Amino acid sequence: MAAERGAAAEALVGQVVLPGDLLLLPAHYDEDAEGERLRLSAGTAPQGQLLCGPGLRRSGAGLLVTKCGLLRHRPAGGGAYWVDSQQKRYVPVKGDHVIGIVTAKAGDVFRLDVGGSEPASLSYLAFEGATKRNRPNVQVGDLIYGQFVVANKDMEPEMVCIDSSGKSSGMGIIGQDGFLFKVSLGLIRKLLAPKCEIIQELSQLYPFELVLGMNGRIWVKAKTVQQTLIIVNILEACEYMTAQQRKQALAKLSGN
Amino acid sequence: MKATPLSNCERRFLLRAIQEKKRLDGRQCYDYRNIRVSFGADRGCCMVELGRTRVLAQVSCELVPPKPSRPTEGVLFFNLELSPMAAPGLEPGRQSELLVSLNRLLERCLRDSKCIETESLCVVAGEKVWQIRLDMHLLNHDGNITDAASIAGIVALCHFRRPDVSVQGEEVTVYSPEERDPVPLSIHHMPICVSFAFFHQGTYLLVDPTEREERVMDGLLVIAMNKHHEICTIQSSGVVMLLPDQILRCSKITAVKVAEITELIQKALENDQKARKEGGKFGFAESIPNQRITAFKMESAAVDTNDVEEQAGEIIAKADPPSEVFASPVLHTPGTAQIGEGIESSWGDLEESEKEEAVEEEGESEAAAFECEKVETEDTSTLRETKSDEPIVLSDSEEEEVVILEPQELPRKTRTQTSSQQENPSKKAFNKR
């Protein structure tokens, strides 16, 4: 198969890329014409290493796109390229914080549904302050916020509710009330960005608790059912609303 | 794939919300979701969207020998299919109970109500009759498949045209669509199913339940009625016991709903008929709108371009012409030279300009404030001079206002800012005297 002449990565930042596109990095423009295969190494990058983010894969001559979406670039720390793509189906990734629903208790291990292809397992000892005598009070159907310690395509994913130092840091069983709903993964990433406007504007309406899982699940709790429903509907609609429409909707609500 | 389990907090929340007479999407207890009927390019192909539930129906016909027990009647065949495309829990083989109950209900609604005149489908008695086949596919499951499928079925049957046939003695001629216009089926009435979900042992009632509401309901009552207030089918399932006056109340609600839906169907059929007759465009490509995802959109700050020309004209008129003197280049090494000196580094000012950006987000109202401020700056331009570290921008973007270089001092190396979408339009033009 003839090698495709790729395009410069910098030229495509902010544009739509399709799977199979080859992106060339600055160090490889000249060499590629001769057909030499170079490997990315720390020496060729300006400072630090170039990070190859989701949707991209290293191939001999540059970066190969594996998901369709918009190409993004961050120059800080050696540079990072990734693809922003629209996706609703979650694939477990190590280190991700997700919301899981307990589906079964099998001996010492809970089985959780996280929206992936397999249920994740969570040991009862993986909670803060849990011992063999002091078991956490988890029932089937409860919500748990935890992170993945094992998540690859060959094994069943495993979750824990403590971080590496043994503290829970916000993870654990999510309270009884409140409401759980699902949105696309892109919206979750947008909400998790620092200083997200949507969350700031919502917090001006009334106080509420919010847990965002990277698997697309959001748990909301406000004081009354009506307030919770309003927040749920706004977050679900943020997917397709522009900022202007959102501000109008919130202005109408706060006027009430 | 297994269906996503319902968590305890969702169940509790839904039941509590229903007790307070609140639904997830803000509807009232007796409200239907938005119904959209769209037609395909073929006759007899239609798609119905009830909120997010989507059903696609297609009608086709064929000449077959009739059933021996009914030699003068046509054959009707109805089929609804559920696939994993609709919901992850709907795997083939796993949903037999739901599938069978839906199919039986739709058959009773359409066949047993005798809404289609089967005698008119006979071509040669005992030998050839039309077999009308209605295939429905569930494209997306968000609750209340029954209603959506019944609407799709009856609309597709009304929309369909079968080839014209003439019998002369022993000769039967089937005309192609080009020879003679196809003929509609003879439909007496339009039966439509309306579903009622019961909660808290029959205390609360909701019309048109969504998928989540269906998961927590106690029982379901389906009434199929036409606009002449004739009940075609009635079915109750689940673990709820209903009182007679509850059923009567439901049938009254059904009458109202069926009248509305029948009107909507008529209008949709008329619109499609008109579009086809006038030669306009018809088909799914025209009727299904595009939805835009804004999750990745970077907002461009609003720019007030009300009287840019005037402002630009004023600025140009008031500015002094640039001086003719240019500094001679200083040669550092072969290949490296410098003209003039760079302006003071303004990296520290990044927070200031960001603060300005945050202020700018409101757009119009701010722009109005800026109008006043602009007038002030021209009078109190000395105040601006203290903010000399604001970077001077020479931009080739048409959206931004023109900024004039410092006229008297040496022409400075200006930092051309790349026009990113977050560009701050508030970099006002100002004159230094």
Side-chain angles (χ1 to χ4, degrees), chain A residues 72 85 101 103 113 140-143 176 178-180 190 197 217 225-226 229 233 238-241, chain B residues 4-5 7-10 12-13 16-17 20 22-24 212 291-296 299 361-362:
Chain A
R72 302 281 191 216
S85 57
I101 305 175
T103 53
D113 171 271
V140 171
D142 279 352
L143 293 178
Q176 295 303 313
F179 189 59
L180 176 78
K190 188 180 183 188
E197 274 179 27
R217 294 185 182 161
V225 165
Q226 178 70 5
L229 283 176
N233 280 317
C238 275
E239 191 99 45
Y240 300 110
M241 274 205 295
Chain B
T4 312
S7 59
N8 295 343
C9 86
E10 280 177 277
R12 248 191 299 261
F13 183 84
R16 225 177 75 192
E20 296 182 18
K22 297 213 192 308
R23 297 179 86 163
L24 286 183
R212 293 232 179 144
Q291 262 194 325
R292 289 170 195 281
I293 300 166
T294 58
F296 304 125
E299 293 308 321
E361 299 234 311
E362 286 314 309

Side-chain angles (χ1 to χ4, degrees), chain A:
Chain A
M1 193 162 77
E4 218 183 72
R5 188 85 177 77
E10 289 164 350
L12 291 175
V13 170
Q15 296 188 25
V16 174
V17 289
L18 296 175
D21 286 353
L22 190 63
L23 305 174
L24 297 175
L25 296 166
H28 298 155
Y29 291 152
D30 307 321
E31 281 83 346
D32 188 60
E34 301 166 15
E36 268 182 43
R37 293 168 63 82
L38 289 185
R39 264 175 283 115
L40 282 176
S41 63
T44 57
Q47 352 147 314
Q49 275 187 328
L50 186 70
L51 195 63
C52 177
L56 293 173
R57 193 176 276 230
R58 271 199 224 162
S59 84
L63 298 176
L64 194 63
V65 178
T66 55
K67 285 214 180 110
C68 56
L70 297 168
L71 183 67
R72 302 281 191 216
H73 176 56
R74 184 186 69 210
Y81 284 98
W82 73 94
V83 177
D84 255 343
S85 57
Q86 175 70 352
Q87 195 174 325
K88 280 184 173 178
R89 189 160 294 198
Y90 177 67
V91 173
V93 168
K94 182 173 165 177
D96 264 2
H97 292 251
V98 296
I99 299 180
I101 305 175
V102 180
T103 53
K105 285 206 277 198
D108 292 340
V109 151
F110 305 116
R111 292 246 170 273
L112 304 173
D113 171 271
V114 292
S117 55
E118 284 182 351
S121 67
L122 169 66
S123 162
Y124 75 97
L125 290 171
F127 290 84
E128 184 175 4
T131 60
K132 290 215 176 117
R133 301 264 179 92
N134 181 16
R135 289 171 179 246
N137 182 15
V138 172
Q139 307 303 323
V140 171
D142 279 352
L143 293 178
I144 299 211
Y145 183 64
Q147 64 176 343
F148 285 113
V149 289
V150 171
N152 52 43
K153 59 182 164 75
D154 303 316
M155 293 163 56
E156 162 191 80
E158 286 176 32
M159 278 176 64
V160 291
C161 287
I162 48 174
D163 59 16
S164 45
S165 59
K167 298 267 186 294
S168 70
S169 64
M171 297 188 272
I173 308 171
I174 296 180
Q176 295 303 313
D177 291 324
F179 189 59
L180 176 78
F181 61 103
K182 198 165 182 328
V183 294
S184 76
L185 306 188
L187 182 64
I188 296 277
R189 283 199 295 269
K190 188 180 183 188
L191 292 171
L192 281 173
K195 295 203 204 146
C196 172
E197 274 179 27
I198 305 175
I199 304 229
Q200 282 174 349
E201 286 169 14
L202 277 177
S203 57
Q204 315 239 335
L205 275 181
Y206 25 69
F208 60 92
E209 284 178 59
L210 184 72
V211 177
L212 299 166
M214 293 289 289
N215 52 350
R217 294 185 182 161
I218 303 183
W219 178 85
V220 183
K221 177 177 168 186
K223 242 189 295 185
T224 67
V225 165
Q226 178 70 5
Q227 291 178 353
T228 314
L229 283 176
I230 289 176
I231 297 175
V232 166
N233 280 317
I234 290 184
L235 285 173
E236 274 178 345
C238 275
E239 191 99 45
Y240 300 110
M241 274 205 295
T242 62
Q244 189 63 24
Q245 292 168 327
R246 191 181 67 234
K247 290 193 217 296
Q248 282 172 356
L250 287 172
K252 252 192 289 185
L253 281 169
S254 48
N256 287 359

Side-chain angles (χ1 to χ4, degrees), chain B residues 12-247:
Chain B
R12 248 191 299 261
F13 183 84
L14 279 165
L15 290 172
R16 225 177 75 192
I18 290 168
Q19 264 183 319
E20 296 182 18
K21 307 261 186 166
K22 297 213 192 308
R23 297 179 86 163
L24 286 183
D25 41 12
R27 286 187 279 157
Q28 298 296 319
C29 304
Y30 299 156
D31 278 351
Y32 253 81
R33 288 172 279 181
N34 277 337
I35 305 181
R36 277 196 81 231
V37 179
S38 43
F39 296 95
D42 286 340
R43 279 281 181 186
C45 179
C46 91
M47 182 164 77
V48 169
E49 289 171 64
L50 180 62
R52 282 202 287 239
T53 303
R54 282 205 215 179
V55 177
L56 175 72
Q58 173 74 56
V59 178
S60 53
C61 65
E62 199 188 5
L63 278 173
V64 296
K67 288 201 187 119
S69 56
R70 303 215 190 278
T72 55
E73 285 185 11
V75 181
L76 298 172
F77 184 69
F78 305 105
N79 186 31
L80 168 71
E81 279 178 25
L82 307 176
S83 76
M85 172 166 49
L90 294 176
E91 254 172 47
R94 219 196 267 252
Q95 12 97 337
S96 46
E97 205 184 294
L98 175 66
L99 187 63
V100 165
S101 69
L102 285 170
N103 268 305
R104 276 301 295 142
L105 185 57
L106 286 166
E107 262 203 58
R108 284 202 332 256
C109 170
L110 293 170
R111 190 203 299 274
D112 297 351
S113 65
K114 307 248 190 292
C115 60
I116 303 177
E117 173 64 64
T118 45
E119 299 271 355
S120 68
L121 297 173
C122 178
V123 176
V124 177
E127 287 177 29
K128 285 259 181 266
V129 297
W130 284 112
Q131 179 193 41
I132 303 292
R133 191 196 163 97
L134 169 64
D135 287 301
M136 287 178 282
H137 292 262
L138 182 65
L139 300 180
N140 194 35
H141 178 25
D142 196 30
N144 207 2
I145 306 174
T146 323
D147 292 11
S150 78
I151 297 175
I154 199 65
V155 170
L157 286 167
C158 290
H159 190 242
F160 179 64
R161 301 283 181 268
R162 65 164 172 84
D164 198 5
V165 168
S166 74
V167 181
Q168 279 158 346
E170 290 296 319
E171 283 223 3
V172 174
T173 328
V174 178
Y175 295 103
S176 68
E178 290 84 36
E179 294 167 8
R180 274 207 207 169
D181 275 344
V183 165
L185 300 174
S186 66
I187 296 182
H188 295 308
H189 60 96
M190 297 209 270
I192 296 183
C193 294
V194 175
S195 301
F196 300 87
F198 290 94
F199 303 86
H200 290 111
Q201 284 84 46
T203 328
Y204 299 99
L205 160 72
L206 290 182
V207 174
D208 187 21
T210 60
E211 202 245 337
R212 293 232 179 144
E213 290 163 358
E214 278 184 354
R215 285 214 200 180
V216 299
M217 70 183 175
D218 287 335
L220 181 74
L221 174 71
V222 179
I223 302 183
M225 198 189 272
N226 60 25
K227 71 175 184 194
H228 308 292
H229 297 221
E230 295 164 343
I231 292 185
C232 309
T233 293
I234 187 163
Q235 172 172 301
S236 161
S237 55
V239 292
V240 65
M241 300 223 287
L242 296 173
L243 302 169
D245 62 330
Q246 277 178 316
I247 301 185

